[in-house]
Amino acid sequence: MIKLAKNTIKTTLKLLKAVIRNKIGTPRPLVAQWEVTFNCNFKCRYCNVWRHDGNKYSELSPDQMKKVIDQLDELGIVWITFTGGEPLLKKDLDEVIRYCSQKGIMTFMNENGSLLDHKLPKLKGCLDAVSLSLDSPDEKTHDEIRGFKGAFKKVLDSASKSKEHINTIINMTVTSESLKDLEKMAVLCKKNGLKIMFTPVSVIPNEGFEKTISKDVKLDPKEYHDIVLKLSKKYGNVVFFKPYMNLIKNGGISKNNFVCKSSKIMLNIKPNGDIVYPCGYFPIKKFSTKNTSIKSIINSSKEFHGKYFDFCEGCTLACFLTPSLATDNIIELIKFAKTQSR
């Protein structure tokens, strides 16, 4: 665990240097979020990706991905999040993650827990952090939410193994229906020696997958905020980024409180290698990386940088907002990193 703590501190310092570099120099992307596949072996209630045939969407080969990573490294990207779909369904993703590690690029992965235990031998030593989804302290309920029998046991088994080698955190997608279970989840994770992050469900339909979860499950922001803070103090294993929580308490993004910098500091990459703007959920503009360098794409997409769109209203997506808020809240970023490394 000491090694994991050192890795987290090293990661934070590298990100801090990049943030400072951006503030005193020419702003450029710091992180990338890469949807490596739209294939998924789960059928989660509040996700639409599995409703479409992922095989219809072209994907880059590992060698093609490495060429993109070379460009990301040249740009100074310090962190790549691999997501999906289920990212570990992507063949040879471990090879790509190891390549990132060799380049000095830190890596994070969102995983549903079904495949990590099998892939762990190839991932340890190169994957910096992983988030595993667990949405209920009740086995039957979680399996039903995720549409996969045995999902609950898979997550806890994978987490118990990965936490010894990779910075591992449990992520619970919280709805108005599951708000009552947060304390039980905190207790379950503490019993298993795990940290947990409570992420509010998004009711925003992402591009290409129009069907979305019912707005009836949307949280009361203040109630959610107060419960999470209370549990964090009580159990110590509930982690959160304070500026993000404050934004949630105030109802998320608004025109008068537009803090999202997704189009400025983050590159959003699709399975086929396309760079999209302004964010991965609403790609108004798509740029192919097959014949155009990423540097050229960044220079040609400045009209999207920092612009508010109507679809931004009420957004609470942590994957975009946490990096955005981190650049203006360095002290809180350090505090957040400490909670990750305890």
Side-chain angles (χ1 to χ4, degrees), residues 240-295:
F240 62 87
F241 185 43
K242 187 176 179 180
Y244 174 72
M245 291 299 293
N246 290 338
L247 180 68
I248 297 299
K249 185 178 181 179
N250 294 321
I253 289 289
S254 69
K255 193 170 186 177
N256 296 324
N257 185 31
F258 187 61
V259 296
C260 184
K261 297 178 181 177
S262 175
S263 61
K264 286 185 176 181
I265 66 163
M266 178 184 286
L267 286 177
N268 299 281
I269 309 174
K270 293 298 182 180
N272 64 353
D274 283 356
I275 304 289
V276 296
Y277 283 93
C279 71
Y281 260 56
F282 291 96
I284 291 178
K285 191 86 172 179
K286 299 180 182 181
F287 300 87
S288 174
T289 58
K290 289 182 178 179
N291 300 310
T292 307
S293 71
I294 295 177
K295 185 180 290 187

Side-chain angles (χ1 to χ4, degrees), residues 40-44 50 112-114 142 146-148 151 154-155:
C40 191
N41 53 346
F42 279 20
K43 295 182 179 180
C44 303
W50 64 267
N112 62 29
S114 64
H142 175 74
R146 291 284 166 174
F148 188 95
K154 276 280 190 181
V155 171

Side-chain angles (χ1 to χ4, degrees), residues 303-322:
E303 69 268 27
F304 296 105
H305 290 183
K307 185 177 180 181
Y308 173 86
F309 297 91
D310 289 341
F311 52 70
C312 299
E313 188 69 26
C315 177
T316 59
L317 290 164
C319 50
F320 300 125
L321 294 177
T322 299

Side-chain angles (χ1 to χ4, degrees), residues 154-287:
K154 276 280 190 181
V155 171
L156 291 181
D157 184 51
S158 291
S160 68
K161 295 174 182 176
S162 68
K163 70 178 182 179
E164 302 301 326
H165 307 281
I166 301 169
N167 202 340
T168 302
I169 190 165
I170 296 296
N171 182 73
M172 178 183 181
T173 301
V174 186
T175 69
S176 58
E177 298 168 345
S178 63
L179 200 60
K180 66 183 186 304
D181 295 325
L182 265 59
E183 184 158 13
K184 291 180 181 178
M185 281 292 293
V187 171
L188 174 66
C189 288
K190 192 168 184 70
K191 180 181 176 182
N192 286 276
L194 297 165
K195 305 182 192 74
I196 183 168
M197 184 176 292
F198 296 115
T199 304
V201 67
S202 171
V203 295
I204 301 174
N206 54 316
E207 181 269 344
F209 305 108
E210 294 80 7
K211 187 175 180 179
T212 187
I213 187 171
S214 168
K215 292 187 178 182
D216 293 339
V217 301
K218 189 175 182 180
L219 296 165
D220 175 85
K222 187 178 185 305
E223 183 182 13
Y224 161 80
H225 171 276
D226 293 347
I227 290 175
V228 173
L229 264 63
K230 178 183 176 182
L231 294 177
S232 179
K233 291 179 181 178
K234 186 174 182 179
Y235 295 104
N237 66 326
V238 177
V239 299
F240 62 87
F241 185 43
K242 187 176 179 180
Y244 174 72
M245 291 299 293
N246 290 338
L247 180 68
I248 297 299
K249 185 178 181 179
N250 294 321
I253 289 289
S254 69
K255 193 170 186 177
N256 296 324
N257 185 31
F258 187 61
V259 296
C260 184
K261 297 178 181 177
S262 175
S263 61
K264 286 185 176 181
I265 66 163
M266 178 184 286
L267 286 177
N268 299 281
I269 309 174
K270 293 298 182 180
N272 64 353
D274 283 356
I275 304 289
V276 296
Y277 283 93
C279 71
Y281 260 56
F282 291 96
I284 291 178
K285 191 86 172 179
K286 299 180 182 181
F287 300 87

